[in-house]
Amino acid sequence: MTNGIDKKALFKLKSEPYSKPISDLGVVFYNLDENTAVLRFQLSNTKGPLLIHKNNLTAYAYFESSNGSVSDVIELEVKDSNKGLVTITLDKEFLQASTSTKVRGQVYIGVNNVDNKPEYNEVAVFREFNFEVKDALINKISAFTKMEYIRMFDQLKTRIKQRVLDIEEAIVNGEDYVAEMKSILQKGIETLNQIVSDGKQDIQAYIKEAKATIDTTQADAVDTIEKLSKDTKDSVETKANKAVETIESTSKEATDHVNDKVSEFNKIVESNGFVDNQELNERLDDLNWQKYGLTNDDGTRKYISKSSMEGVSVNSFDAGLYELVATDDSESNGLPPGFDAFILQLDVTVSSNGRKQLLLNISSQNRRFVKTLHTNGDDKNGWNEITQKQSDTGWIPFKLINGATINTAFKGADDNGFDCAYRIETRGSVTEKTIRLNGKNLKQSQVIAQLPSNLFKNAHSFSIRVPTSTGFSGGYITARPNGEMKFYINGDSSTWNETAYIYGEYSWKE
């Protein structure tokens, strides 16, 4: 079946106890089928295909013809373990014995009982099925035709015998050719021996010449190496001697310099004496320099823990740079409200008349506050924030609607021109909004744009530039909180030239 000419028939068998009539597969095989009559079964139960593998189950089948012929108990080949597919190929002898009959078959599966215990034996018998075996047409050829085939075979046999005789005669005559070939072979061997002998002499001569050349080259190389070795040794010795002289000279100069400095130091000590700690402190105190420590000795801020802040106001802090944690009630510490449990950096500076300035930095929010305490400790102005949040959307373009379009011809005539766009800038608590308009193909009371609803907090109305050639003093725009913008004309709109344009910029603060 390696050539793919097998005749496969698939039949689904279910393991169940219900009585059903013998199934006719509707399959026909012929008594000349050889290794091509294949039956394929899909074995299943109520849960689906059976999981079959040669390691746990054995599947086999048995067939019986209506003329009494029977098959062996044939083991089925597992084709797909997960789908329960098994196959069997009917042998030619059984098909020939069952010619022109109905064949009845049955499939069995049994569990491989590795423990050989009877109580673990399990065998399932599937219901019976039928198929038909027919006589091939070629078997019905007449006796006369068969005699003709026999006569043709005899003639072919005679021709083959004659060919065999011719071949035997040629083999006999071939002995002379063999003798001639032996003679030629002998001459070839003698010629090869002569070539080998001549080659050996040439090779020996080349070896002798090469050896002489190598000996000469070796001697020259040894002389060169010895000369280089001697020159290198002399150079190294010269440089080493020079280096030793330089080191000795430098060492002497350094020793003399150190001795001179030691002598100079001894003279100074002898004249002035050593300064003890008390005298050193007195001299430092006499120097005119700032001696107040704003930070720790290592330059870090003075840390005030949260527990240390309880009942303490920052108004009482001396001058210095501090890092602290606000308590749950930061106002009781003299701090701005709303920063409980925040890490704060506090800078306190004090003037000569007792006035204090407190600079507070909340680094996690990039915010800074300042407070001034007067000489009497008054801080009625409290904390003032000196940081200011800023944002800028940049120019956000928008399109005109309802037939209105950008006036591309005018763009560039003023300030390089601009398209329709809006912008929102925030500086602290102040928000400034700006809108630019440039368009044509406009009509009276036309909705020319639909902008975001959060752009206009209140209704707006603003004038807009129109060309003087139209004869109108100008136009104006109305904007509603829902973002709708309309265009209106000052004067009689019936004479308005729709090719005229509007161009302008309007800003407002919220």
Side-chain angles (χ1 to χ4, degrees):
M1 294 186 289
T2 58
N3 294 316
I5 63 172
D6 51 307
K7 297 153 60 174
K8 295 178 182 178
L10 176 62
F11 185 59
K12 297 183 179 180
L13 294 178
K14 181 174 288 187
S15 177
E16 57 186 3
Y18 304 111
S19 176
K20 292 185 179 181
I22 297 176
S23 299
D24 193 340
L25 300 184
V27 174
V28 175
F29 294 120
Y30 290 89
N31 54 8
L32 288 186
D33 290 337
E34 184 174 358
N35 294 328
T36 57
V38 180
L39 287 175
R40 175 174 289 186
F41 302 98
Q42 185 175 35
L43 306 181
S44 62
N45 55 20
T46 56
K47 296 182 180 179
L50 294 178
L51 301 179
I52 299 176
H53 194 275
K54 62 182 180 180
N55 293 336
N56 64 340
L57 291 174
T58 300
Y60 50 95
Y62 177 75
F63 300 94
E64 184 178 286
S65 171
S66 59
N67 64 6
S69 301
V70 296
S71 69
D72 294 331
V73 177
I74 307 171
E75 185 174 346
L76 280 69
E77 180 182 359
V78 178
K79 285 297 185 181
D80 192 325
S81 299
N82 296 324
K83 295 182 179 180
L85 291 177
V86 295
T87 63
I88 183 172
T89 304
L90 300 176
D91 62 76
K92 181 180 178 182
E93 288 75 10
F94 176 71
L95 291 175
Q96 289 179 350
S98 305
T99 300
S100 301
T101 66
K102 284 277 189 178
V103 176
R104 185 170 61 178
Q106 199 166 44
V107 173
Y108 314 87
I109 60 171
V111 176
N112 295 337
N113 188 351
V114 296
D115 296 328
N116 294 320
K117 295 181 180 180
E119 60 270 22
Y120 294 157
N121 290 338
E122 292 184 19
V123 177
V125 181
F126 292 85
R127 60 192 177 95
E128 299 178 23
F129 52 86
N130 285 339
F131 61 88
E132 187 177 354
V133 179
K134 291 185 177 183
D135 189 12
L137 293 178
I138 195 171
N139 290 329
K140 299 177 181 179
I141 297 176
S142 66
F144 175 76
T145 303
K146 292 181 180 179
M147 290 301 296
E148 285 293 320
Y149 287 161
I150 293 172
R151 185 177 61 83
M152 291 172 61
F153 177 78
D154 288 340
Q155 292 177 353
L156 179 62
K157 182 178 179 181
T158 302
R159 291 183 181 179
I160 292 174
K161 285 184 176 180
Q162 183 60 44
R163 287 293 181 91
V164 171
L165 293 175
D166 294 341
I167 292 171
E168 290 177 349
E169 183 179 354
I171 291 174
V172 173
N173 295 332
E175 293 179 355
D176 295 337
Y177 297 123
V178 172
E180 184 176 353
M181 289 173 65
K182 288 182 178 180
S183 176
I184 294 173
L185 176 61
Q186 183 61 34
K187 291 181 179 179
I189 292 173
E190 293 175 355
T191 303
L192 287 174
N193 290 336
Q194 183 63 37
I195 292 173
V196 170
S197 177
D198 295 341
K200 286 182 179 179
Q201 294 178 1
D202 293 339
I203 291 171
Q204 290 174 353
Y206 289 141
I207 292 173
K208 183 177 180 181
E209 182 179 353
K211 183 178 180 182
T213 303
I214 291 172
D215 291 342
T216 303
T217 304
Q218 179 183 1
D220 295 341
V222 170
D223 294 341
T224 303
I225 292 172
E226 289 178 349
K227 184 177 183 304
L228 288 174
S229 177
K230 183 177 182 305
D231 294 343
T232 301
K233 181 180 179 182
D234 294 342
S235 176
V236 170
E237 289 178 350
T238 301
K239 291 181 179 180
N241 293 334
K242 187 175 180 180
V244 170
E245 293 174 358
T246 303
I247 292 171
E248 290 176 349
S249 175
T250 303
S251 176
K252 183 177 183 305
E253 292 176 1
T255 302
D256 293 343
H257 179 74
V258 170
N259 290 336
D260 293 341
K261 290 297 180 181
V262 170
S263 299
E264 183 180 349
F265 176 76
N266 290 333
K267 290 179 181 179
I268 294 173
V269 171
E270 184 179 350
S271 301
N272 301 317
F274 280 106
V275 178
D276 58 19
N277 290 336
Q278 181 179 356
E279 185 179 356
L280 177 62
N281 290 331
E282 292 175 355
R283 291 187 181 184
L284 290 175
D285 291 338
D286 292 339
L287 295 176
N288 187 20
W289 61 288
Q290 179 184 338
K291 307 175 184 64
Y292 186 85
L294 295 175
T295 66
N296 296 320
D297 292 342
D298 59 358
T300 58
R301 287 178 176 269
K302 300 176 181 179
Y303 180 73
I304 308 298
S305 65
K306 187 175 181 179
S307 59
S308 300
M309 285 296 298
E310 294 183 1
V312 178
S313 174
V314 296
N315 295 349
S316 63
F317 280 20
D318 296 329
L321 305 182
Y322 302 92
E323 182 171 277
L324 50 96
V325 181
T327 62
D328 297 337
D329 184 8
S330 59
E331 292 185 76
S332 66
N333 305 131
L335 297 169
F339 295 104
D340 302 341
F342 275 60
I343 300 296
L344 312 175
Q345 290 83 38
L346 179 67
D347 299 349
V348 180
T349 55
V350 183
S351 62
S352 58
N353 59 4
R355 184 183 294 109
K356 288 184 181 181
Q357 185 181 67
L358 284 73
L359 183 62
L360 184 67
N361 180 48
I362 298 92
S363 57
S364 61
Q365 295 190 353
N366 287 328
R367 299 178 66 183
R368 305 193 79 185
F369 297 82
V370 65
K371 178 168 68 172
T372 300
L373 299 178
H374 297 282
T375 54
N376 59 359
D378 180 18
D379 64 340
K380 63 181 179 179
N381 292 327
W383 292 97
N384 294 302
E385 186 172 2
I386 58 177
T387 51
Q388 193 177 70
K389 290 185 177 181
Q390 297 187 10
S391 64
D392 187 354
T393 63
W395 289 107
I396 302 175
F398 64 88
K399 293 184 179 296
L400 299 179
I401 61 176
N402 294 327
T405 59
I406 297 292
N407 183 18
T408 56
F410 183 75
K411 184 178 177 181
D414 184 4
D415 254 3
N416 291 327
F418 49 72
D419 292 331
C420 295
Y422 67 89
R423 183 176 189 175
I424 303 175
E425 298 175 88
T426 301
R427 293 179 289 275
S429 60
V430 178
T431 299
E432 183 175 5
K433 299 179 180 181
T434 308
I435 188 167
R436 287 177 170 178
L437 287 170
N438 175 13
K440 63 180 182 178
N441 297 331
L442 308 173
K443 297 179 182 179
Q444 177 74 339
S445 67
Q446 177 183 351
V447 177
I448 62 172
Q450 181 63 52
L451 299 179
S453 58
N454 63 344
L455 184 62
F456 303 102
K457 187 176 181 180
N458 303 306
H460 287 261
S461 177
F462 54 91
S463 299
I464 197 73
R465 173 186 172 188
V466 299
T468 56
S469 60
T470 60
F472 294 95
S473 59
Y476 64 94
I477 300 293
T478 63
R480 299 175 62 83
N482 63 1
E484 181 184 88
M485 294 181 61
K486 284 187 177 182
F487 168 68
Y488 293 93
I489 305 165
N490 290 331
D492 184 5
S493 62
S494 62
T495 59
W496 171 258
N497 183 359
E498 294 181 2
T499 61
Y501 59 83
I502 61 172
Y503 187 78
E505 182 176 289
Y506 173 69
S507 299
W508 68 98
K509 294 182 179 179
E510 294 181 350

